[in-house]
Amino acid sequence: MADLTTDFLGIKSPNPFWLASAPPTDKEYNVRRAFEAGWGGVVWKTLGMEGPPVVNVNGPRYGVIHGADRRVLGLNNIELITDRDLQTNLDEITRVKRDWPDRAMIVSIMVPCEEQAWKDILPKVEATGADGIELNFGCPHGMSERGMGAAVGQVPEYIEMVTRWCKQYYSKPVIVKLTPNITDIRKPAEAARRGGADAVSLINTINSIVSVDLDTMSPHPSIDGKGTHGGYCGPAVKPIALSMVSEIARAPATAGMPISGIGGVTTWRDAAEYITMGCGNVQVCTAAMTYGFKIVQEMISGLSEWMDEKGHTSIDDFMGAAVPNTTDWQYLNLNYIAKAQINQEDCISCGRCYAACEDTSHQAIAMSEDRTFTVIEEECVACNLCVEVCPVENCITMVEMDAGTVDPRTGKVVEDTYANWTTHPNNPSATAAE
Amino acid sequence: MADRVFEPGVTAGRLDPAAYEAHFSDLHPPLDKHEAVVAADRCYFCHDAPCITACPTDIDIPLFIRQIATGTPDAAAKTILSQNIMGGMCARVCPTEQLCEEACVREMAEGKPVLIGQLQRYATDHLQVQGVHPFVRAEPTGKRVAVVGAGPAGLSAAHRLAMLGHDVVVYDAKPKAGGLNEYGIATYKTPDGFAQGEVDWLLKIGGITVETGRALGADLSLEGLRAKFDAVFLGMGLGGVNALGVEGADKDGVLDAVDFIAELRQASDVASVPVGRDVVVIGGGMTAIDAAVQSKLLGALNVTLVYRRGRDAMNASVFEQDLAASKGVRIVTHATPKAVHGNGSVREIEFDYVGDDMMPTGQTLRLAADQVFKAIGQTLEGDALPDLEGRKIAVDTNGRTSVKGVWAGGDCASGGDDLTVTAVAEGRDAAMDIHADLSGSV
Ligand SMILES: Cc1cc2nc3c(=O)[nH]c(=O)nc-3n(C[C@H](O)[C@H](O)[C@H](O)COP(=O)(O)OP(=O)(O)OC[C@H]3O[C@@H](n4cnc5c(N)ncnc54)[C@H](O)[C@@H]3O)c2cc1C
Ligand SMILES: Cc1cc2nc3c(=O)[nH]c(=O)nc-3n(C[C@H](O)[C@H](O)[C@H](O)COP(=O)(O)O)c2cc1C
Ligand code: SF4
Ligand code: SF4
Ligand code: SF4
């Protein structure tokens, strides 16, 4: 069986599955049970300043976008950081870390953007024996109105400044958790690196309103008739997070910086994808909140089975493997030509491919009287829409055209060479290929 | 319809070859990948899932279904097989409608359970066709265990013991290993030599020697085994059958249903198995249903299953009863055999209609019969066995018998219902207790 042991910033964990800072990691009771269930590590629910803790709403905090069968696709929350006393949390962290030395224990922190506030809390966190800290610069609701969370994460200078304080007053690894509520994710990542961060983790939640109650005219979740935007997470955010991760992994200023991938990790496959995109591990919140801690068993068995199948003996074997294949649009090969092909044996004649192509794409599917659907190669631009809307997996496939054959759509011979937009004659700023 | 179905008497080849082929192929064709993923998607991944509680071997059903849903059927198979080494057979023969699927929350909610049995088959088949055996033996312990009976109980115990590093010798009286998996289960539940294939696959763990044609009470004695081995597991099932005990029961054509079923399972060509035009089966359990259904599938024209109580008291599940009815078996209830008539061979069988108190009502029923199959229960055979409880070997929850160093499980042991899956569970649990005993941890 493949070895899932992960070494992230020198912090070892038996597998790359950590629970993200959120309700699953809110207290000793949860975290002990999470470790018993097999989680490799946790980022403790974000701690705030000493003194009276924050107060959460006492009505609904969650709203959800459901798929078929009420599957949770996207989760929206308006919860704040921990609403429990600082010392209670610190004592619990100390005890759990002592009893579970082989699991990663990271403490998430959010205190005001003042040096003293950080100077006060960091030694206390250090004393717990936890393996590192994560700076919550991401929470997009409530805390951001108080100048913390995403309010800091949206200003690279603040990120750099606070990170620097943390490196100064804390001896162990510092992870900066980024907010996706920003135009260019590379900027805060660069700032974190400048401030001396050991790693970045992303994403925190995305500003969201999941729905409006059409009777009360209040956004969901509704607190006494009023709602506010919350933070969106769960399977729906994975593509956004994965893209942001790829930007950081690719950008020269941040390349090579350790990344902890977060956002919609629901199965082993999601985790594997994040790792191929350069992440050293993943963090999970919504999947655990939907299915319970036991979900990690599938993640562990699935990842190790896939690694065995591919001959990967360790996480490092495939970490970042997809990064070199992630590029800018302008470098995609325009001489690569494919055509959709419908396997008539698998086709159930639903006509979805036809509707999609005829109404919204390139009118490249023909429908006969007896409901036989065939691709018109003269029209097909290989957009992939039919493949994705067809209810039968692999019924429609994209078939690459061999070099030397003629593309019936353009009448041109398919060339063997690589040629992208930078050299294309239609590009006004084209430069000749070197 | 071929003419030969009307031919009186007991004869083979009543149907044309295509009909036999269709009749004895898979009852539930396997799910393909797409169907499996669609079926798996319906599982809610329940907490402390009721389906697990309902499974005698405690398979982690939500986990294995999620493993199928996430594209790792081999991991799913390992989840199943680590609890139930005969997960492949159980997927085919378990009365899921009375076990996991009855407990499924979607059965409660919609009357449509998640297809747990078929998903289990999908996963185990996926692994087993690759010929992969997913478990490895622990370091040899030097301890030796004798297992009597190569049925599900014995083989499950043997596998677990071998995995834990013990050397196991399995003795079976019959020429082939497998027990009722090989000689009893209906043909259409386990076609294409699955039972034998599963035994071969199971034995790949190593450390198990199977000696067939060796019977306790004949060339083996319990005392002898105790002297030679560190522990003994008895899993010899129920070899005997109850007698009919009515006038004329010794006439030709009055047969044990299990013998008829075994003949059918062992036939190289089902068309060669003779069956009567008029068949009467007596009993209300799975054996009775299987004998009746398979008689019908062999081409018997009239098959009547006669049971002494009401339908709800039958051991066979509603699914099994409906299956029989759908194949054209007539089910008669509240009737007990009174006499078998005929001149040398059975011609007719006469029943008393009885009330709920089993007392004759005075009304009778006579049915034409070329064959009468008795399926009124099997019994434990043999003497010099450990103490009995009722008619089975008394065991505690760990399978320990009254004799030190001797465990028992499966149909021959007290408690539990007589199902393949229960036999597997009891064999496994006894093996764990034997292991604890041999490792000196109890
Ligand atoms: C016709 C029929 C249909 C059935 N259908 C189903 C079904 O669909 N689903 C289900 O769950 N259950 C079914 N059952 C029940 C199921 O088959 C049994 O519960 C299960 O096989 C019991 O396993 P076992 O290992 O205890 O005994 P068995 O399977 O009976 O195995 C006992 C083994 O011990 C051997 N043996 C016996 N005596 C000796 C001896 N003295 N020395 C050495 N070896 C000996 C036998 O040859 C046999 O191989 C059916 C039973 C019958 C009879
Ligand atoms: C209810 C809830 C509370 C959260 N609280 C915190 C928090 O205190 N600190 C933090 O850094 N992130 C918090 N998050 C964000 C998660 O840690 C995580 O970044 C996000 O949910 C994306 O991961 P997911 O798609 O696996 O849920 C919270 C998320 C949820 C749903
Ligand atoms: S999940 Fe638990 S705490 Fe939340 S509303 Fe339901 S019962 Fe209350
Ligand atoms: S969408 Fe797929 S199944 Fe439906 S008609 Fe098109 S090819 Fe056939
Ligand atoms: S009870 Fe049904 S839905 Fe729930 S875990 Fe079991 S199979 Fe899935």
Side-chain angles (χ1 to χ4, degrees):
Chain A
M1 196 174 119
D3 179 12
L4 298 188
T5 316
T6 338
D7 181 338
F8 189 71
L9 315 177
I11 304 164
K12 298 222 169 42
S13 55
N15 61 58
F17 304 107
W18 291 8
L19 282 167
S21 174
T25 63
D26 180 50
K27 56 178 97 64
E28 179 172 1
Y29 176 79
N30 298 15
V31 174
R32 282 188 189 275
R33 290 179 62 244
F35 285 161
E36 277 155 22
W39 290 90
V42 299
V43 182
W44 200 273
K45 173 76 182 171
T46 304
L47 306 185
M49 259 182 23
E50 189 147 30
V54 302
V55 178
N56 270 301
V57 292
N58 298 301
R61 339 184 159 167
Y62 304 119
V64 157
I65 297 291
H66 287 111
D69 237 352
R70 273 180 77 77
R71 175 157 309 209
V72 173
L73 297 183
L75 173 72
N76 165 90
N77 86 89
I78 55 169
E79 177 176 288
L80 305 179
I81 62 173
T82 183
D83 52 13
R84 302 185 321 137
D85 179 62
L86 176 63
Q87 196 55 48
T88 307
N89 277 303
L90 294 170
D91 292 345
E92 292 183 1
I93 292 166
T94 312
R95 282 200 295 270
V96 179
K97 180 62 203 177
R98 185 195 59 210
D99 293 350
W100 292 87
D102 69 322
R103 309 299 168 95
M105 169 70 77
I106 308 294
V107 179
S108 171
I109 310 177
M110 181 197 289
V111 292
C113 245
E114 294 150 13
E115 189 167 1
Q116 192 56 44
W118 292 91
K119 228 173 149 172
D120 288 343
I121 196 167
L122 288 168
K124 294 191 174 112
V125 171
E126 181 117 33
T128 63
D131 302 297
I133 56 172
E134 186 181 79
L135 313 186
N136 179 351
F137 293 154
C139 185
H141 46 262
M143 303 311 294
S144 53
E145 295 169 16
R146 304 171 203 182
M148 290 180 273
V152 179
Q154 284 159 344
V155 185
E157 293 73 23
Y158 291 172
I159 293 178
E160 185 179 338
M161 177 177 73
V162 177
T163 307
R164 193 161 277 135
W165 293 335
C166 290
K167 287 305 290 180
Q168 194 178 343
Y169 302 119
Y170 182 75
S171 72
K172 290 184 180 169
V174 175
I175 305 167
V176 172
K177 183 167 178 179
L178 304 178
T179 174
N181 300 305
I182 190 160
T183 352
D184 184 350
I185 196 69
R186 292 170 298 188
K187 296 291 180 273
E190 285 167 21
R193 184 171 239 189
R194 278 198 305 276
D198 298 279
V200 288
S201 57
L202 68 159
I203 60 174
N204 208 310
T205 55
I206 304 174
N207 284 355
S208 62
I209 289 178
V210 280
S211 57
V212 173
D213 184 321
L214 292 180
D215 295 322
T216 64
M217 295 298 165
S218 163
H220 251 37
S222 174
I223 305 289
D224 194 23
K226 299 262 187 292
T228 182
H229 81 262
Y232 201 45
C233 49
V237 310
K238 176 192 136 190
I240 299 166
L242 201 54
S243 168
M244 289 184 164
V245 164
S246 80
E247 302 266 299
I248 293 172
R250 290 172 54 214
T254 46
M257 192 174 190
I259 306 172
S260 181
I262 318 171
V265 175
T266 312
T267 70
W268 68 269
R269 185 179 290 274
D270 300 320
E273 291 174 17
Y274 271 99
I275 294 168
T276 64
M277 210 46 110
C279 295
N281 67 10
V282 292
Q283 296 183 28
V284 178
C285 168
T286 303
M289 290 183 66
T290 309
Y291 301 106
F293 290 144
K294 186 177 148 180
I295 197 83
V296 73
Q297 292 179 18
E298 167 264 305
M299 297 181 182
I300 291 170
S301 70
L303 185 63
S304 75
E305 182 173 309
W306 173 77
M307 286 170 62
D308 286 345
E309 234 167 67
K310 295 286 175 190
H312 298 309
T313 52
S314 74
I315 298 286
D316 287 343
D317 268 11
F318 62 100
M319 195 177 121
V323 177
N325 294 331
T326 311
T327 181
D328 293 343
W329 194 101
Q330 59 180 337
Y331 300 122
L332 299 176
N333 184 4
L334 295 173
N335 281 346
Y336 172 88
I337 298 170
K339 296 284 171 196
Q341 202 173 71
I342 297 174
N343 179 345
Q344 297 300 338
E345 299 222 324
D346 292 342
C347 173
I348 57 171
S349 293
C350 68
R352 281 179 64 164
C353 56
Y354 180 84
C357 191
E358 188 70 11
D359 292 359
T360 73
S361 195
H362 291 74
Q363 297 74 47
I365 292 178
M367 172 177 167
S368 71
E369 289 276 322
D370 68 346
R371 296 184 70 80
T372 303
F373 297 86
T374 41
V375 173
I376 307 165
E377 299 210 333
E378 288 72 13
E379 304 297 337
C380 176
V381 301
C383 72
N384 212 41
L385 182 64
C386 56
V387 173
E388 299 296 357
V389 302
C390 175
V392 185
E393 199 182 347
N394 293 328
C395 170
I396 313 185
T397 46
M398 275 299 156
V399 182
E400 179 180 359
M401 293 192 72
D402 292 331
T405 55
V406 175
D407 177 354
R409 184 173 70 88
T410 58
K412 291 195 181 134
V413 176
V414 178
E415 290 179 45
D416 208 0
T417 49
Y418 163 85
N420 60 45
W421 179 243
T422 61
T423 56
H424 198 279
N426 290 14
N427 181 354
S429 45
T431 49
E434 282 158 39
Chain B
M1 207 191 254
D3 285 347
R4 303 204 53 205
V5 290
F6 297 111
E7 210 171 292
V10 180
T11 174
R14 288 183 176 273
L15 307 172
D16 47 51
Y20 286 111
E21 172 84 33
H23 289 181
F24 290 95
S25 62
D26 235 319
L27 180 61
H28 300 287
L31 299 178
D32 67 21
K33 184 180 166 208
H34 176 73
E35 290 168 324
V37 171
V38 171
D41 250 6
R42 292 186 66 238
C43 174
Y44 289 141
F45 201 75
C46 299
H47 176 72
D48 194 9
C51 54
I52 306 181
T53 313
C55 171
T57 53
D58 296 307
I59 292 173
D60 192 337
I61 293 162
L63 178 60
F64 95 68
I65 293 183
R66 189 169 170 88
Q67 288 167 320
I68 293 174
T70 55
T72 54
D74 290 345
K78 284 175 217 161
T79 301
I80 295 160
L81 298 164
S82 62
Q83 284 296 109
N84 177 337
I85 194 64
M86 295 202 151
M89 181 59 81
C90 288
R92 290 163 165 80
V93 306
C94 272
T96 52
E97 63 283 356
Q98 292 176 323
L99 300 170
C100 53
E101 291 180 16
E102 180 179 59
C104 174
V105 300
R106 298 203 76 158
E107 165 63 27
M108 312 278 172
E110 302 152 64
K112 287 195 187 74
V114 173
L115 299 175
I116 301 169
Q118 281 172 272
L119 287 166
Q120 178 167 320
R121 173 169 174 187
Y122 174 77
T124 50
D125 282 2
H126 194 273
L127 184 86
Q128 272 161 281
V129 295
Q130 301 165 50
V132 182
H133 190 90
F135 304 107
V136 283
R137 284 193 80 189
E139 289 299 307
T141 60
K143 303 280 186 188
R144 300 180 70 235
V145 184
V147 169
V148 180
L155 288 173
S156 162
H159 183 274
R160 184 54 65 103
L161 288 163
M163 194 163 91
L164 294 167
H166 309 295
D167 285 323
V168 185
V169 181
V170 183
Y171 298 104
D172 199 291
K174 288 253 166 62
K176 285 190 200 169
L180 289 170
N181 287 1
E182 177 60 37
Y183 293 98
I185 298 293
T187 309
Y188 48 79
K189 287 186 186 169
T190 167
D192 307 323
F194 178 80
Q196 211 54 50
E198 185 178 52
V199 171
D200 296 343
W201 169 88
L202 180 149
L203 294 175
K204 282 189 188 166
I205 183 79
I208 304 174
T209 313
V210 179
E211 295 192 17
T212 52
R214 306 210 49 189
L216 186 70
D219 61 325
L220 302 168
S221 72
L222 190 54
E223 273 322 300
L225 293 176
R226 287 184 67 204
K228 244 174 97 187
F229 291 89
D230 297 299
V232 179
F233 175 81
L234 300 175
M236 65 262 201
L238 301 172
V241 284
N242 290 325
L244 202 51
V246 298
E247 186 197 325
D250 54 351
K251 291 195 190 307
D252 287 351
V254 180
L255 305 162
D256 288 329
V258 285
D259 292 340
F260 164 68
I261 292 168
E263 182 191 354
L264 184 60
R265 278 296 303 275
Q266 298 305 310
S268 53
D269 177 10
V270 285
S272 70
V273 178
V275 72
R277 184 187 68 179
D278 300 304
V279 173
V280 174
V281 179
I282 304 169
M286 245 189 245
T287 307
I289 295 275
D290 285 0
V293 169
Q294 296 188 109
S295 298
K296 193 74 202 164
L297 298 178
L298 280 174
L301 185 64
N302 299 305
V303 178
T304 313
L305 185 152
V306 185
Y307 179 54
R308 60 191 172 133
R309 300 180 197 275
R311 272 206 181 204
D312 47 353
M314 285 171 83
N315 264 335
S317 67
V318 172
F319 172 83
E320 300 272 349
Q321 295 177 32
D322 290 350
L323 177 74
S326 77
K327 300 292 178 194
V329 172
R330 175 186 173 207
I331 299 179
V332 172
T333 62
H334 296 100
T336 59
K338 185 182 169 77
V340 178
H341 304 289
N343 193 0
S345 296
V346 54
R347 284 284 167 270
E348 275 192 333
I349 174 164
E350 186 178 358
F351 294 87
D352 275 319
Y353 276 118
V354 295
D356 286 337
D357 56 359
M358 291 291 112
M359 297 309 288
T361 59
Q363 315 244 28
T364 59
L365 164 75
R366 281 173 87 111
L367 293 168
D370 302 311
Q371 280 178 317
V372 171
F373 294 128
K374 296 173 288 173
I376 50 177
Q378 286 101 270
T379 53
L380 179 62
E381 278 186 325
D383 34 46
L385 293 172
D387 292 351
L388 303 188
E389 180 184 325
R391 302 164 70 188
K392 295 182 165 196
I393 299 171
V395 289
D396 68 10
T397 48
N398 293 316
R400 291 182 181 221
T401 69
S402 61
V403 179
K404 187 165 168 30
V406 180
W407 282 255
D411 285 1
C412 72
S414 62
D417 17 51
D418 293 345
L419 293 174
T420 309
V421 65
T422 325
V424 174
E426 290 171 4
R428 176 199 69 190
D429 295 346
M432 293 309 293
D433 195 56
I434 294 171
H435 174 67
D437 194 60
L438 297 182
S439 330
S441 60
V442 280

